[in-house]
Amino acid sequence: MTTAQTDWFDTPVQPAAEDVMYVDVDGYEGPLDLLLDLARRQKVDLAAISILALAEQYLAFIETVREKRIEVAADYLVMAAWLTYLKSRLMVPQAPSDDEPSGEMLAAMLQFRLKRLEAMRRAASQLMNRPRLGFQVYARGMPEPIEVNRSSLWEASLYDLLKAYAGQRERGISTDYSPIQRTVWSLQDARDILQRLIGDSFDWIPMDLYLAEYLASPSERATIRASSFASSLELVRQGQIDIRQTETFGPLFMRRRKGDQQ
Amino acid sequence: MTDRDEHGEVAERHLRILEALLFASSEPLSANQLLTYLGEGVRVGDLLATLQQRYADRGVNLVQRGDKWAFRTAEDLGFLLRREEQETRPLSRAALETLSIIAYHQPSTRAEIEEVRGVATGKGTIDLLMEAGWIRMRGRRRTPGRPVTYGTTEAFLDHFGLESLSDLPGLDELKGSGLLSGRLPPDMQIPLPFDGALRDDEDPLEPDDLGTDEDQD
Amino acid sequence: MTDRDEHGEVAERHLRILEALLFASSEPLSANQLLTYLGEGVRVGDLLATLQQRYADRGVNLVQRGDKWAFRTAEDLGFLLRREEQETRPLSRAALETLSIIAYHQPSTRAEIEEVRGVATGKGTIDLLMEAGWIRMRGRRRTPGRPVTYGTTEAFLDHFGLESLSDLPGLDELKGSGLLSGRLPPDMQIPLPFDGALRDDEDPLEPDDLGTDEDQD
């Protein structure tokens, strides 16, 4: 296992055996790292390690640290609890009815994880000791970059050009432009007018006839018709008038509704 | 005979073009990139093999990195060329471990890295390796939370002088001992580092995916 | 003979070292600089001459620059490292507006363009249109400051599918197509573009006139 390679990892300073219990937990990268370090001190192959002894060492370590009233990160306590459980599983023979994993299985799992972590560390170390680019191996020091001469082809259509021109000329015109005021009949106005015109007439008279006076102005025709029609529907709903149309697109006849009103 | 001469002349010209292009670039170039300078139907692979052989004993070698090629100084001259410069910032132990776990287990998620290390991985560690250009986000694992999967890059191969992931040191031994598996070895199938496009259980990253794990900050 | 073999082997090794050094160096190296890597008494000059000869027909050559040496792409392959690329981009609004004013009002000066646009026209916009080949400097206006006058080119007509400047639609046509609204002051006019050689108030450009406006930046 001893290799000539330098160990790339700054392994925590190995304290003398009797000092082991006083190592600060801060030096470790988590509980697995601590376990691995403790295991290494047993100076045997991880495959031959006593997981029970390792668990006891870990628990003792955590105990000492806590006695010294040093805060221990939760990770370490979770591992401690798990190891306590592992210990109990290892020491108490498994009942046949017990379908929890056996102590041996749990121990094997932990051993596997330790071996895997150690393997990954060794792999990292081997990677870093390879002839790396920029350290032992070099790329061309004076690369000759590919020169790209980029020329732009501009896109514009005659339409774009004319629009741009017209837009500017219009922008330049002094803005005494005022929007055309459109007369709009509000629904309320239309309703008032309609009520007034229909009055008490019980005869069917076409709506356009009622509105003839107003419809004379072409620019207002549409709004008058639309608003009046909408208002007439409201009046029908309120039971004030009746509406009738005898054919599609035919004239709309209106009259005051007869009935209980009087 | 004139025919063969002519053929040799054309090949020689192609080899010169490859030399020029590969010498000029400090980054590895793919056969396809090179092909655009040679013309349709030229067998770049054969030319590259010839060139590699020609330079095999020289002070500068033609090396393959993933599916790309580059000229690099010969490994055995490293001791001579070694410059005084130190690594600007040596990688932390956490970063190194994370890198090797990703390299040997890829595609791997953050949770898997943490499982191997037995400790939470700071976001900074992954970021640092991404910034170094050695790892990349590959996709998302098709499991709850859809965690991001990480893999190594071509720059990783280039930096560590590997032709492909199968050159990772000690890979066979690790494979044999079942240490690349997530679980206890015996009857388990042992996965190999995978740098293909996407594995069955991986989804591609969306273009706007920033790689934030849904269940993590 | 063994002696010569050994000699050859040492020389070969030295050549490899030179190759690697010259390849990896970020600047040309002198024989003296190279010597420090080879050891006392080595005839660097001879080695460099050998190396130069070996690479003479290759895609990269060993060249001497002053008293220093470097690898460089063979001159006849330099074209590989240059590439022309064309991209099409839409013309910016500022450029379109400027171009359209020049088209209708030519010959027009920068001040006149700015008067129509109501905003200052950057030198960059004019340069861009000149580069695109759509406008040219026609001459200088015979007014204080002697500003440069601009006009359109043949390429402009070509690009926009016009046979001549008189094909540019006039006021009525612009109104008819809805590009200009009906509510325009009655005195509004659209100029007829002038496409003669020089107008009465224009001077020709001197051959060495770079077109710098005297009263501007």
Side-chain angles (χ1 to χ4, degrees), chain A residues 225-242:
Chain A
R225 280 211 181 103
S227 298
S228 302
F229 176 62
S231 307
S232 69
L233 293 179
E234 175 67 10
L235 291 170
V236 169
R237 197 180 64 81
Q238 291 174 357
Q240 299 190 31
I241 65 168
D242 291 325

Side-chain angles (χ1 to χ4, degrees), chain A residues 26-82:
Chain A
D26 282 351
Y28 292 99
E29 294 255 341
L32 216 53
D33 183 31
L34 170 54
L35 272 169
L36 195 54
D37 186 50
L38 292 172
R40 272 189 189 154
R41 285 160 206 232
Q42 294 194 5
K43 292 197 174 68
V44 283
D45 194 304
L46 275 179
I49 206 165
S50 159
I51 290 291
L52 186 59
L54 188 62
E56 275 166 351
Q57 277 184 43
Y58 182 94
L59 292 171
F61 177 90
I62 294 294
E63 196 47 45
T64 335
V65 173
R66 292 183 75 185
E67 270 168 18
K68 294 176 80 184
R69 283 180 298 175
I70 295 172
E71 287 267 341
V72 182
D75 290 1
Y76 292 87
L77 300 180
V78 171
M79 178 60 87
W82 190 81

Side-chain angles (χ1 to χ4, degrees), chain C residues 125-137:
Chain C
T125 306
I126 300 262
D127 285 353
L128 188 144
L129 292 170
M130 298 259 278
E131 216 171 278
W134 289 341
I135 64 166
R136 65 191 173 91
M137 295 188 288

Side-chain angles (χ1 to χ4, degrees), chain A residues 29 33 113 121 130 138, chain B residues 73 93 97 115 117 160-161:
Chain A
E29 294 255 341
D33 183 31
R113 290 189 69 195
R121 281 193 184 163
R130 285 187 62 80
Y138 296 89
Chain B
T73 58
R93 208 167 119 176
E97 278 178 23
E115 216 267 323
R117 295 194 62 227
F160 293 100

Side-chain angles (χ1 to χ4, degrees), chain A residues 8-12 27 29-33 75 105 108-109 112-113 115-117 119-124 126-128 130-140 143-146, chain B residues 23-24 26 37 72-73 75 78 81-83 85 87 91 93-94 96-97 100-101 104-105 115-119 156 158-162 168-169 174 178-185:
Chain A
W8 232 82
F9 294 108
D10 45 323
T11 24
E29 294 255 341
L32 216 53
D33 183 31
D75 290 1
M105 225 154 119
M109 186 66 206
F112 171 71
R113 290 189 69 195
K115 274 161 82 176
R116 188 173 58 180
L117 180 59
M120 283 302 107
R121 281 193 184 163
R122 203 166 42 237
Q126 282 173 331
L127 269 181
M128 295 312 280
R130 285 187 62 80
R132 289 192 291 143
L133 188 64
F135 294 91
Q136 288 91 15
V137 169
Y138 296 89
R140 176 85 184 267
E144 296 168 79
I146 291 178
Chain B
F23 254 81
S26 55
Y37 292 90
R72 298 286 180 248
T73 58
E75 284 186 11
L81 304 177
R82 199 191 289 265
R83 296 170 190 158
E85 65 193 55
E87 204 145 1
L91 283 182
R93 208 167 119 176
L96 272 172
E97 278 178 23
S100 70
I101 292 166
Y104 286 81
H105 289 80
E115 216 267 323
V116 175
R117 295 194 62 227
V119 70
F156 167 84
D158 199 19
H159 185 90
F160 293 100
L162 304 164
L168 282 170
L174 286 169
L179 287 172
L180 295 184
S181 144
R183 266 158 272 170
L184 277 175

Side-chain angles (χ1 to χ4, degrees), chain B residues 1-211:
Chain B
M1 195 176 107
T2 338
D3 224 39
R4 272 196 62 195
D5 275 4
E6 208 172 283
H7 180 77
E9 222 170 83
V10 171
E12 217 36 66
R13 180 171 164 76
H14 284 157
L15 288 172
R16 289 185 72 227
I17 290 176
L18 290 184
E19 278 176 328
L21 290 169
L22 289 162
F23 254 81
S25 168
S26 55
E27 301 293 316
L29 299 173
S30 73
N32 271 340
Q33 286 170 301
L34 294 166
L35 190 60
T36 59
Y37 292 90
L38 298 177
E40 285 297 309
V42 175
R43 298 167 70 155
V44 192
D46 293 353
L47 290 169
L48 286 166
T50 307
L51 209 55
Q52 187 170 38
Q53 211 179 340
R54 280 204 192 163
Y55 278 88
D57 297 327
R58 310 306 316 151
V60 176
N61 304 146
L62 182 61
V63 297
Q64 189 169 6
R65 299 287 174 251
D67 60 356
K68 298 193 170 173
W69 297 77
F71 275 116
R72 298 286 180 248
T73 58
E75 284 186 11
D76 67 311
L77 298 177
F79 72 97
L80 254 175
L81 304 177
R82 199 191 289 265
R83 296 170 190 158
E84 274 92 83
E85 65 193 55
Q86 284 290 311
E87 204 145 1
T88 41
R89 192 158 57 121
L91 283 182
S92 71
R93 208 167 119 176
L96 272 172
E97 278 178 23
T98 303
L99 178 63
S100 70
I101 292 166
I102 292 172
Y104 286 81
H105 289 80
Q106 63 187 294
S108 41
T109 66
R110 198 159 136 189
E112 286 159 2
I113 297 162
E114 292 177 355
E115 216 267 323
V116 175
R117 295 194 62 227
V119 70
T121 303
K123 188 96 171 89
T125 306
I126 300 255
D127 283 358
L128 196 126
L129 292 171
M130 298 250 278
E131 215 179 278
W134 290 342
I135 65 165
R136 66 191 172 95
M137 294 189 289
R138 292 173 44 94
R140 286 185 177 277
R141 175 79 40 85
R142 235 176 269 135
T143 53
R146 298 182 26 82
V148 170
T149 50
Y150 294 94
T152 52
T153 60
E154 276 176 357
F156 167 84
L157 296 179
D158 199 19
H159 185 90
F160 293 100
L162 304 164
E163 279 201 8
S164 69
L165 288 181
S166 57
D167 280 355
L168 282 170
L171 184 64
D172 288 339
E173 195 191 331
L174 286 169
K175 207 172 27 171
S177 58
L179 287 172
L180 295 184
S181 144
R183 266 158 272 170
L184 277 175
D187 42 50
M188 305 259 43
Q189 270 202 336
I190 295 140
L192 283 179
F194 176 83
D195 64 350
L198 280 177
R199 218 157 58 174
D200 297 346
D201 60 352
E202 275 179 297
D203 280 335
L205 289 173
E206 298 293 322
D208 56 348
D209 193 333
L210 294 175

Side-chain angles (χ1 to χ4, degrees), chain A residues 156-181:
Chain A
S157 67
L158 183 59
Y159 175 74
D160 294 331
L161 186 75
L162 299 177
K163 207 173 81 175
Y165 183 67
Q168 289 176 99
R169 291 304 306 272
E170 289 212 320
R171 235 192 292 145
I173 298 165
S174 54
T175 51
D176 48 0
Y177 158 80
S178 54
I180 299 163
Q181 296 292 323

